[in-house]
Amino acid sequence: MINQQEFIKKIPKVELHLHIEGSLEPELMFKLAARNKIELPYASVEALKEAYQFNNLQEFLDLYYQGAEVLQAEQDFYDLAWAYFETCHRDNVLHTEVFFDPQTHTERGITMATVINGLTRAKQQAEKQYGISCEYILCFLRHLSEASAIQTLEAAKPFLAQIIGVGLDSSEQGHPPEKFQRVFSMAKQLGLRRVAHAGEEGPASNVASAWELLDVSRIDHGVRCLEDAALVKQLARVQMPLTVCPFSNVKLKVVEHLSDHPLPSMIANGLAVTINSDDPAYFGGYLLDNLQACSETFNWDRAQIAALSYAAVTASYASEVRKSELSQLIDNCLAEFSQ
Ligand code: ADE
Ligand code: ZN
């Protein structure tokens, strides 16, 4: 089993569902709060960590948006993203597609340029120093209005070269995909890829409508698609990628225990699942930790782990050249461990 954990660490990995604001570790949150002279409503890092107990998505989001308030200057966004790339390097995550929530910052008077320039500088350094490839996905907050989403897309126009696509996150209940049909169509016309959170807390019908109305090429979470057998068949037939986040689903009580997670059933149904960390600083672990825990819980062998790594490469928006490089690196790792 030790060998399996070592294999999981070594195998080249791809992450497709990571909110950069959700990678803000309590230690960095305190450091940035001090730098920006912001008082946090917690006495210590330990007290903050103790507050990370959630009964649902909204309870988490309330703390997550509060935590993001320490991000003010371009350097803060750089430091945040750089800290994440350091964990990628440590854990052999070689390609990553990272969400950011500009409205969380622009609503506080921080400019789109401040956010994107800081994130981009960190990405360029990660590419140069560690050979990690990264794409950014701009997410619209679904609890805000359609007009605010459209304004956000407008504000992002000077930075389109820095963004591969748009996504949809925040409170799913009461904010179905149809609210964002127009802004997603505008994003498509700008040549942006489209993904959306759906079927996390919301019903399977949100998965179907994100697919149909927002014309997404990946579904984030999607676990509740299992409640609609016909939809599962269609998703499996077209191999629509689902970016599943096991620790997140446990922490936000989508499932009670990891052992209750529907991943095995999703895989058995032929769905194109990938494993991801979502908000690792809040949910107890990064991609590697998610994979190691799932492997133990579900008794996965090397072939299953490798299949998940290949699936994430296929589902990614990396160039074809980068995809074949990543696949080759996975092949090499498998060969090394089968000797
Ligand atoms: N924003 C950050 N993490 C999220 C999640 N798991 N669901 C919806 N919105 C989010
Ligand atoms: Zn998410």
Side-chain angles (χ1 to χ4, degrees):
M1 227 32 188
I2 287 175
N3 205 15
Q4 175 74 348
Q5 299 297 7
E6 199 184 308
F7 172 73
I8 298 172
K9 171 127 194 195
K10 282 253 175 91
I11 194 169
K13 287 171 283 293
V14 166
E15 175 141 72
L16 302 177
H17 184 157
L18 175 287
H19 302 262
I20 200 66
E21 294 90 347
S23 71
L24 176 57
E25 290 288 346
E27 291 77 7
L28 182 57
M29 195 191 292
F30 267 82
K31 189 175 146 188
L32 296 181
R35 192 153 92 189
N36 292 323
K37 305 195 172 32
I38 292 168
E39 203 166 322
L40 290 170
Y42 302 94
S44 63
V45 163
E46 290 67 38
L48 176 58
K49 285 183 183 169
E50 269 167 37
Y52 290 175
Q53 315 279 346
F54 314 110
N55 289 306
N56 52 47
L57 174 58
Q58 194 57 53
E59 286 187 12
F60 154 69
L61 289 171
D62 293 343
L63 278 198
Y64 164 84
Y65 295 129
Q66 181 186 72
E69 288 180 17
V70 303
L71 299 161
Q72 304 221 329
E74 187 196 306
Q75 184 66 33
D76 303 339
F77 290 93
Y78 166 87
D79 288 347
L80 171 69
W82 184 250
Y84 168 61
F85 292 128
E86 294 267 33
T87 70
C88 289
H89 180 58
R90 180 194 69 195
D91 294 347
N92 284 312
V93 176
L94 299 190
H95 177 81
T96 178
E97 299 186 0
V98 172
F99 297 136
F100 67 108
D101 289 343
Q103 287 153 297
T104 303
H105 315 298
T106 52
E107 292 247 310
R108 298 181 288 120
I110 289 153
T111 66
M112 185 69 85
T114 300
V115 179
I116 295 186
N117 291 342
L119 297 180
T120 301
R121 192 153 57 85
K123 163 195 153 131
Q124 286 167 344
Q125 190 176 338
E127 284 173 352
K128 206 164 139 202
Q129 195 168 322
Y130 293 144
I132 293 168
S133 47
C134 167
E135 300 290 353
Y136 284 118
I137 298 176
L138 179 159
C139 282
F140 303 117
L141 297 180
R142 64 204 307 160
H143 67 274
L144 298 180
S145 66
E146 180 200 35
S148 173
I150 292 173
Q151 205 176 29
T152 302
L153 186 61
E154 283 296 324
K157 277 188 180 166
F159 306 98
L160 289 185
Q162 269 63 260
I163 298 166
I164 196 137
V166 296
L168 187 62
D169 64 1
S170 191
S171 327
E172 190 179 0
Q173 307 272 26
H175 304 283
E178 22 292 41
K179 185 173 157 189
F180 298 96
Q181 192 172 356
R182 270 188 296 215
V183 73
F184 268 63
S185 151
M186 291 163 71
K188 182 177 180 178
Q189 290 193 337
L190 292 172
L192 293 166
R193 315 269 190 149
R194 294 152 318 279
V195 300
H197 284 53
E200 178 187 17
E201 269 195 351
S205 60
N206 277 359
V207 175
S209 54
W211 186 6
E212 231 171 85
L213 305 179
L214 307 185
D215 194 16
V216 296
S217 48
R218 284 202 306 247
I219 296 282
D220 296 312
H221 293 291
V223 286
R224 287 193 58 194
C225 74
L226 288 176
E227 292 163 24
D228 180 341
L231 176 63
V232 168
K233 276 214 178 102
Q234 289 169 332
L235 292 166
R237 185 168 49 80
V238 303
Q239 289 293 283
M240 171 69 78
L242 305 177
T243 63
V244 176
C245 307
F247 280 11
S248 164
N249 295 151
V250 174
K251 279 297 262 188
L252 302 187
K253 299 207 164 38
V254 171
V255 296
E256 203 177 332
H257 303 289
L258 189 57
S259 53
D260 305 320
H261 199 284
L263 258 171
S265 154
M266 296 176 90
I267 293 170
N269 274 288
L271 289 166
V273 301
T274 67
I275 308 282
N276 306 272
S277 68
D278 207 4
D279 301 285
Y282 292 87
F283 300 154
Y286 287 78
L287 170 57
L288 173 64
D289 308 297
N290 274 268
L291 278 169
Q292 288 183 328
C294 286
S295 174
E296 267 199 43
T297 304
F298 304 124
N299 273 319
W300 285 344
D301 58 11
R302 276 186 220 158
Q304 180 61 68
I305 295 292
L308 287 162
S309 257
Y310 287 123
V313 172
T314 304
S316 77
Y317 299 143
S319 67
E320 289 309 314
V321 170
R322 181 63 175 153
K323 282 185 181 187
S324 59
E325 244 173 52
L326 291 164
S327 300
Q328 185 64 56
L329 290 167
I330 300 170
D331 293 347
N332 296 350
C333 178
L334 266 175
E336 188 191 320
F337 273 80
S338 30
Q339 277 164 8

